[in-house]
């Protein structure tokens, strides 16, 4: 178990919020980084001790990472507010993240920088090693558990987000399988230097992930956003499956959200199970498809794959132009996953318009990657395949 310390305004609400998350095994409220030893609440309340109301969070890093805890913490505060959170004012309510393990510094600073870039200005959140921590009086511990109607500076939406997020993670973990976890990590190439390097799996099969997504399809966009930041692959997939449900009711809003959260769509199944059903379906009803070409020109391979695979829905509605144009753009791609994606989409075109596919293959036979070609002609008869592969 590891510990990290969060100051997020009144420690009653911060403890309740941080303790909600799966993997946070224990929370203790107290007073941190002040000048007075073993202070009382009354002394800290004067704002003359230098102490800040703080929560010690003990967590299992096999369930939740420090980066995720920090990102979730930032969702509970206004990081630009100085000595104030909600209606609570004073230096004791300043915000901060404090560590006791120096190896945690890099992670905290990484997340801090992410948030600072998102806001575009300096954050009013302290970060640094913990200097001192004194547990608060017993009546402060688990205050909102003991007093469900007690004061909390956090909004009901924030607390609901934490509850829903935790419910999804809990549901996925309940469906996890240790053996499947090992298989998935190999299957999705998570080793050093491989395309899925560092991706982490709970070991949940897609049908089980769909069940969880269906049960939580009404959650807020903030929950989806938080899940897309998770280290766990299945959490990100679940987020996308929920987003597909959102798309059915509010297409434009869901598409805009999708395009502004591409960072979390970083493995081939995440792309393939979402792009056609969100972006592709949306573009089928709109004349401007320039976003596909913007994505195709991205230096990020996953965004390139989103551009190509999104055309699956266009193909299904008899529109082949974008697929053919994008296939031409990726003739020189060296990434195996892009070669397969292009070949797959060309094969789908060929199911509906074989002469168009044959024309494309003949026009580009000298430049076409062999992997792309094999995928494209998979449904041809043996003699046709042999003829094309010999070219």
């Amino acid at each position: 178990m590891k510990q990290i310390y969060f100051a997020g305004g009144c420690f009653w609400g911060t403890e309740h919020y941080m303790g909600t998350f799966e993997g946070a095994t224990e929370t203790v409220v107290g007073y941190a980084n002040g000048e007075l030893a073993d202070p009382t609440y009354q002394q800290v309340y004067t704002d003359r001790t230098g102490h800040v109301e703080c929560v010690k969070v003990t967590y299992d890093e096999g369930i939740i990472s420090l980066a995720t805890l920090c990102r979730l913490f930032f969702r509970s505060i206004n990081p630009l507010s100085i000595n104030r959170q909600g209606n609570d004012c004073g230096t004791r309510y300043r915000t901060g993240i404090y560590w006791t393990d120096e190896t945690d510094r890099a992670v905290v600073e990484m997340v801090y920088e992410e948030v600072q870039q998102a806001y575009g200005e300096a954050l009013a959140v302290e970060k640094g090693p913990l200097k001192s921590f004194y547990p608060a009086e017993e009546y402060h511990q688990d205050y909102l558990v003991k007093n469900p109607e007690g004061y909390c500076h956090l909004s009901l939406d924030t607390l609901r987000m934490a509850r829903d997020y935790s419910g999804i993670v809990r549901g996925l973990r309940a469906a996890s399988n240790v053996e499947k976890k090992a298989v998935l990590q190999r299957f999705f190439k998570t080793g050093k230097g491989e395309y899925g390097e560092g991706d982490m799996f709970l070991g949940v099969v897609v049908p089980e992930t769909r069940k969880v997504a269906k049960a939580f399809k009404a959650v807020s966009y903030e929950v989806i956003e938080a899940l897309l930041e998770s280290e766990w692959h299945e959490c990100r997939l679940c987020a996308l499956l929920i987003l597909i449900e959102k798309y059915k009711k509010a297409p434009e809003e869901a598409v805009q959200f999708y395009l502004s959260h591409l960072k979390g769509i970083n493995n081939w199944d995440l792309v393939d199970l979402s792009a056609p059903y969100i972006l592709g379906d949306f573009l089928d009803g709109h004349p401007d498809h320039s976003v596909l070409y913007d994505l195709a020109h991205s230096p990020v391979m996953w965004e390139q794959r989103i551009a190509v695979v999104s055309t699956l829905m266009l193909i299904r509605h008899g529109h082949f132009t974008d697929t053919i144009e994008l296939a031409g753009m990726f003739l020189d791609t060296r990434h195996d996953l892009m070669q397969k994606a292009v070949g797959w989409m060309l094969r789908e075109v060929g199911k509906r318009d074989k002469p168009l596919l044959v024309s494309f293959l003949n026009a580009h036979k000298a430049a076409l990657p062999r992997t792309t070609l094999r995928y494209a002609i998979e449904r041809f008869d043996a003699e046709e395949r042999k003829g094309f592969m010999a070219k």
Side-chain angles (χ1 to χ4, degrees), residues 64-81:
I64 190 168
S65 70
L66 175 58
T68 292
L69 278 171
C70 289
R71 291 183 182 114
L72 291 168
F73 166 71
F74 272 110
R75 292 183 178 279
S76 71
I77 64 170
N78 177 350
L80 304 180
S81 182

Side-chain angles (χ1 to χ4, degrees), residues 98-227:
Y98 315 106
W99 57 82
T100 55
D101 184 343
E102 188 60 24
T103 62
D104 291 339
R105 177 190 293 271
V107 175
V108 173
E109 292 187 340
M110 174 190 71
V111 176
Y112 193 98
E113 182 61 26
E114 287 176 4
V115 176
Q116 188 161 267
Q117 287 185 6
Y119 277 88
E121 57 183 294
L123 304 182
V125 181
E126 296 179 340
K127 55 181 172 66
L130 183 76
K131 299 174 183 177
S132 63
F133 179 80
Y134 299 95
E137 295 83 345
E138 180 57 31
Y139 74 90
H140 287 298
Q141 307 299 332
D142 294 315
Y143 182 85
L144 291 177
V145 174
K146 299 170 182 173
N147 304 275
E149 302 301 320
Y151 167 76
C152 181
H153 72 288
L154 298 178
S155 70
L156 291 177
D157 285 343
T158 298
L159 295 175
R160 188 178 300 112
M161 185 277 294
R163 182 197 66 201
D164 289 342
Y165 178 98
S166 299
I168 290 169
V169 175
R170 193 172 299 115
L172 291 171
R173 290 191 68 241
S176 66
N177 179 285
V178 174
E179 293 180 359
K180 179 61 69 173
K181 176 179 179 178
V183 170
L184 290 172
Q185 288 178 171
R186 292 194 300 271
F187 185 69
F188 284 96
K189 307 295 184 184
T190 62
K192 187 172 179 59
E194 295 182 307
Y195 65 74
E197 180 178 351
D199 205 352
M200 295 175 61
F201 287 80
L202 292 166
V204 186
V205 295
V206 173
E208 292 297 325
T209 304
R210 288 190 184 277
K211 289 180 183 178
V212 175
K214 184 177 181 180
F216 286 89
K217 64 181 181 180
V219 300
S220 68
Y221 275 99
E222 187 175 9
V223 175
I224 299 173
E225 184 177 58
L227 289 168

Side-chain angles (χ1 to χ4, degrees), residues 358-372:
V358 170
S359 175
F360 177 86
L361 296 178
N362 284 330
H364 300 286
K365 57 188 176 184
L368 207 62
R370 304 294 281 180
T371 297
T372 300

Side-chain angles (χ1 to χ4, degrees), residues 212-376:
V212 175
K214 184 177 181 180
F216 286 89
K217 64 181 181 180
V219 300
S220 68
Y221 275 99
E222 187 175 9
V223 175
I224 299 173
E225 184 177 58
L227 289 168
L228 283 172
E229 294 175 347
S230 174
E231 62 268 29
W232 297 114
H233 185 101
E234 293 92 339
C235 285
R236 302 197 303 282
L237 176 56
C238 193
L240 294 168
L241 295 175
I242 294 171
L243 185 59
I244 291 172
E245 295 302 314
K246 296 283 189 188
Y247 170 80
K248 295 174 182 177
K249 294 185 176 181
E252 190 159 348
E253 184 178 15
V255 168
Q256 291 305 314
F257 180 92
Y258 187 77
L259 292 173
S260 62
H261 292 83
L262 297 177
K263 185 178 179 181
I265 310 171
N266 55 358
N267 216 316
W268 63 262
D269 64 321
L270 303 180
V271 172
D272 298 356
L273 291 172
S274 65
Y277 309 103
I278 299 175
L279 182 58
D281 188 79
F282 182 79
L283 293 178
D284 181 57
H286 293 77
D288 183 5
H289 294 182
S290 59
V291 65
L292 294 178
Y293 300 90
D294 293 339
L295 291 168
H297 285 103
S298 169
V300 180
M301 187 273 291
W302 301 119
E303 295 182 11
Q304 296 173 7
R305 187 171 173 108
I306 287 171
V308 172
V309 176
S310 289
T311 68
L312 176 61
M313 199 59 69
L314 300 176
I315 295 168
R316 289 179 178 176
H317 288 88
H319 308 303
F320 311 135
T321 301
D322 290 311
T323 305
I324 295 298
E325 289 192 21
L326 290 170
M329 290 175 58
F330 287 109
L331 290 173
D332 61 351
T333 183
R334 296 189 176 185
H335 203 294
D336 181 63
L337 287 178
M338 283 306 299
Q339 293 175 0
K340 290 177 179 178
V342 172
W344 171 25
M345 291 303 106
L346 288 174
R347 183 176 71 231
E348 293 299 316
V349 169
K351 290 179 185 178
R352 295 157 178 84
D353 191 338
K354 186 174 180 180
L356 177 60
L357 173 57
V358 170
S359 175
F360 177 86
L361 296 178
N362 284 330
H364 300 286
K365 57 188 176 184
L368 207 62
R370 304 294 281 180
T371 297
T372 300
L373 179 59
R374 282 196 298 270
Y375 270 63

